[in-house]
Amino acid sequence: MRQKIVAGNWKMHGSLVANQQLLTQLHAALDGYGGATFAVCVPAPYLAQTQSLLTGSAIAWGAQNLSAHKAGAYTGEVSASMLLDFACRYVIVGHSERRALYGETDQVVAAKFAAARDAGLTPILCVGEALAERESGMAEQVIARQLDAVLAVAGIAGFARAIVAYEPVWAIGTGKTATPEQAQAVHAFIRHKLAMVDEGIASRLIIQYGGSVKAANAAELFAQPDIDGGLIGGASLMADEFISICKAALS
Ligand code: PEP
């Protein structure tokens, strides 16, 4: 039995004042629930604040990106060990915005995945197809390619302590959610693909859905057999919405 994980992706939003209020509300509302795991992935400058406000709470935290390198002349980059200095548990890798806006290839994403894992962080590997790819029947092929790049570098063992987030690009921040059936079909495909390599690892793998999840649609999505929680963008910035989504993962 897999325990669901709901993680917020704040993207490039927040301020010390706004975070203080949001994190305090989440801390108060989500304490004492043992049936699911909750996390927030915040912009790197707010990791210290997040650590200080959430230590001792039921909410874990993480980052949205990391360097594939351990240290060195990489101006502007943040390494896995730096994230560990702030007690991060999770780091998102391969978000579609990183792939599309910052040119992160499947190989770069795989290297980041391996760097996170090697350091002891849990990578949240985002995979998903663009609208044109779905419409031309290529969704599974795209996702298989994204997974194969990670398998080539980290092996199936890499998925033993990792999360995969299926995030159809056409559903991110658009208000267009995949139907529970559409999402379930892709989640089952991902699990089946990895099960061909190692059934045990695939059956324990957490596969989150991400793409315009809201309080109103979370329960139906999370009820699907292969959907193990969500990666939540816009709605994770609104305390009441995010709390309701987290609670939908409990049932
Ligand atoms: C995301 O940024 O990972 C995401 C799923 O965004 P949203 O929930 O806003 O679609």
Side-chain angles (χ1 to χ4, degrees):
M1 182 62 184
R2 298 178 299 272
Q3 201 185 59
K4 291 184 172 45
I5 302 184
V6 177
N9 171 16
W10 287 8
K11 311 195 191 209
M12 198 173 73
H13 293 292
S15 67
L16 287 174
V17 172
N19 305 345
Q20 166 93 30
Q21 196 184 358
L22 177 55
L23 292 171
T24 306
Q25 282 177 282
L26 298 182
H27 189 338
L30 295 174
D31 264 7
Y33 290 102
T37 299
F38 311 126
V40 286
C41 294
V42 305
Y46 298 133
L47 284 171
Q49 180 193 27
T50 303
Q51 179 182 18
S52 132
L53 289 172
L54 294 186
T55 295
S57 79
I59 310 163
W61 57 93
Q64 301 167 14
N65 184 30
L66 84 167
S67 170
H69 301 283
K70 285 199 166 87
Y74 301 103
T75 301
E77 293 291 284
V78 173
S79 70
S81 68
M82 293 172 187
L83 300 183
L84 288 171
D85 275 345
F86 294 96
C88 286
R89 189 188 303 171
Y90 302 105
V91 61
I92 299 171
V93 296
H95 191 281
S96 64
E97 288 153 17
R98 301 291 318 171
R99 293 179 191 260
L101 303 175
Y102 300 96
E104 291 191 8
T105 61
D106 291 338
Q107 287 64 39
V108 167
V109 172
K112 290 185 173 198
F113 179 100
R117 275 239 0 155
D118 292 350
L121 290 159
T122 299
I124 301 176
L125 169 68
C126 298
V127 297
E129 80 287 358
L131 184 60
E133 291 165 335
R134 170 161 284 265
E135 286 176 347
S136 58
M138 303 267 292
E140 291 187 354
Q141 206 173 311
V142 169
I143 292 159
R145 190 200 72 219
Q146 293 169 335
L147 292 171
D148 282 337
V150 175
L151 281 168
V153 171
I156 189 67
F159 287 84
R161 198 194 56 249
I163 294 172
V164 172
Y166 168 54
E167 297 213 312
V169 180
W170 47 272
I172 298 178
T174 58
K176 250 192 224 171
T177 317
T179 64
E181 295 72 26
Q182 278 174 324
Q184 165 57 26
V186 177
H187 282 233
F189 167 76
I190 293 169
R191 200 177 304 286
H192 177 71
K193 174 173 170 54
L194 296 174
M196 310 255 276
V197 193
D198 189 308
E199 222 172 311
I201 288 176
S203 70
R204 289 187 293 275
L205 179 70
I206 299 293
I207 309 177
Q208 296 175 320
Y209 170 77
S212 299
V213 178
K214 318 181 244 303
N217 58 23
E220 213 189 343
L221 285 159
F222 297 169
Q224 300 299 311
D226 288 294
I227 300 186
D228 310 312
L231 182 57
I232 318 300
S236 72
L237 295 163
M238 294 176 273
D240 289 349
E241 277 285 307
F242 190 60
I243 290 161
S244 297
I245 294 168
C246 287
K247 289 186 177 169
L250 292 168
S251 45

